[in-house]
């Protein structure tokens, strides 16, 4: 049975679950622009928005047999996209804090501060961060270093390691979550220092 325009989203989704490419194309055509508009209101970078939407549809196709929708297809797609944007902002915040820390540490090394206690705190934090990164699984560690130390973008890392952009994003999110958990004490310390 072919997919027709008058079918409900749930019926189309059921066809998608059975591997019907036409059902996937119809969902893609119907929701791509709506999702783009929704995400672009929250995130100014069009390229990142397009990446997120492509990842969302790729995951929809790859996981079609596992996905259970309890509300509507529209709500499912919107919530999935919101989650991607939320994770993006969360990882950006952690990256910014880390960059601030690195800049402060560089400033301390150059002699701009004479406060020995602060210097020791930053040295301890740097050592703890290094140990935390070393504890990460090898692939997550590699992805994190390419992003943070080499400054590569998600697409560049994906191409270099021959993995998907969503896999890069998952490694970064997992690494940042681990670092955040392991370094809670030091971030608290930084807060009180400043």
């Amino acid at each position: 049975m072919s997919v027709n325009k008058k079918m409900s989203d749930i019926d189309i989704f059921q066809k998608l679950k059975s591997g019907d490419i036409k059902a996937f194309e119809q969902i893609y055509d119907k929701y791509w622009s709506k999702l783009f508009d929704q995400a672009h209101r929250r995130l100014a970078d069009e390229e990142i928005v397009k990446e997120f939407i492509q990842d969302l549809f790729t995951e929809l196709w790859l996981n079609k047999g596992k996905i259970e929708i309890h509300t509507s297809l529209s709500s499912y797609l919107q919530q999935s996209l919101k989650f991607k944007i939320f994770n993006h902002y969360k990882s950006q915040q952690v990256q910014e804090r880390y960059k601030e820390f690195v800049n402060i540490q560089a400033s301390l090394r150059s002699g701009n501060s004479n406060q020995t206690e602060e210097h020791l705190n930053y040295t301890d934090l740097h050592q703890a961060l290094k140990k935390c990164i070393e504890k990460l699984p090898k692939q997550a560690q590699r992805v994190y270093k390419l992003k943070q130390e080499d400054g590569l973008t998600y697409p560049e890392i994906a191409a270099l390691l021959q993995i998907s952009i969503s896999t890069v994003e998952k490694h970064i999110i997992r690494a940042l979550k681990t670092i955040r958990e392991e370094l809670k004490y030091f971030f608290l310390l930084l807060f009180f220092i400043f």
Side-chain angles (χ1 to χ4, degrees):
M1 191 188 313
S2 66
V3 176
N4 68 54
K5 304 259 183 207
K6 294 180 183 179
M7 292 177 73
S8 72
D9 279 355
I10 296 302
D11 292 334
I12 296 169
F13 183 70
Q14 290 307 318
K15 290 197 158 298
L16 170 70
K17 285 184 78 128
S18 65
D20 188 329
I21 190 72
K22 294 285 185 200
F24 175 78
E25 289 170 357
Q26 189 170 349
I27 292 168
Y28 185 93
D29 291 342
K30 181 175 182 179
Y31 288 105
W32 195 96
S33 294
K34 292 176 187 175
L35 292 169
F36 180 83
D37 292 342
Q38 172 195 339
H40 199 254
R41 283 192 300 268
R42 291 181 170 89
L43 196 60
D45 190 326
E46 282 189 22
E47 290 306 309
I48 292 175
V49 169
K50 288 176 183 175
E51 280 178 35
F52 286 169
I53 294 170
Q54 284 306 119
D55 286 347
L56 179 64
F57 280 110
T58 301
E59 289 165 9
L60 180 68
W61 177 255
L62 294 176
N63 299 315
K64 62 189 173 290
K66 301 175 199 166
I67 296 172
E68 294 297 325
I69 295 179
H70 302 288
T71 54
S72 69
L73 181 58
S74 176
S75 293
Y76 172 82
L77 293 170
Q78 288 174 3
Q79 289 302 318
S80 297
L81 186 57
K82 281 181 189 175
F83 183 72
K84 285 184 176 299
I85 293 168
F86 173 76
N87 280 335
H88 173 74
Y89 278 126
K90 201 160 64 168
S91 70
Q92 291 295 100
Q93 288 174 343
V94 172
Q95 289 173 28
E96 289 303 316
R97 283 190 212 132
Y98 177 72
K99 286 176 187 172
E100 286 174 19
F101 161 72
V102 169
N103 290 337
I104 291 167
Q105 187 177 21
S107 173
L108 288 171
R109 282 192 194 136
S110 68
N112 291 343
S113 174
N114 296 326
Q115 298 179 358
T116 307
E117 186 177 339
E118 283 184 27
H119 181 70
L120 289 173
N121 289 334
Y122 287 118
T123 302
D124 289 346
L125 177 55
H126 183 67
Q127 291 303 317
L129 180 61
K130 277 179 66 176
K131 285 180 185 174
C132 185
I133 293 169
E134 289 169 5
K135 288 180 188 177
L136 294 170
K138 290 294 178 202
Q139 187 76 333
Q141 191 179 124
R142 194 167 174 206
V143 168
Y144 180 83
K145 286 180 177 180
L146 287 169
K147 176 71 178 148
Q148 296 301 328
E149 295 173 12
D150 299 339
L152 297 181
T153 64
Y154 286 9
E156 290 170 336
I157 296 168
L160 181 67
L161 299 180
Q162 297 182 341
I163 57 177
S164 72
I165 294 170
S166 64
T167 302
V168 171
E169 182 183 65
K170 287 174 188 169
H171 282 305
I172 294 292
I173 290 168
R174 192 172 301 130
L176 294 174
K177 181 180 178 185
T178 301
I179 290 167
R180 197 168 42 247
E181 287 297 315
E182 297 258 340
L183 301 181
K184 277 183 190 174
Y185 165 77
F186 288 102
F187 285 125
L188 190 60
L189 187 63
L190 279 175
F191 176 76
F192 285 116
I193 288 172
F194 295 105

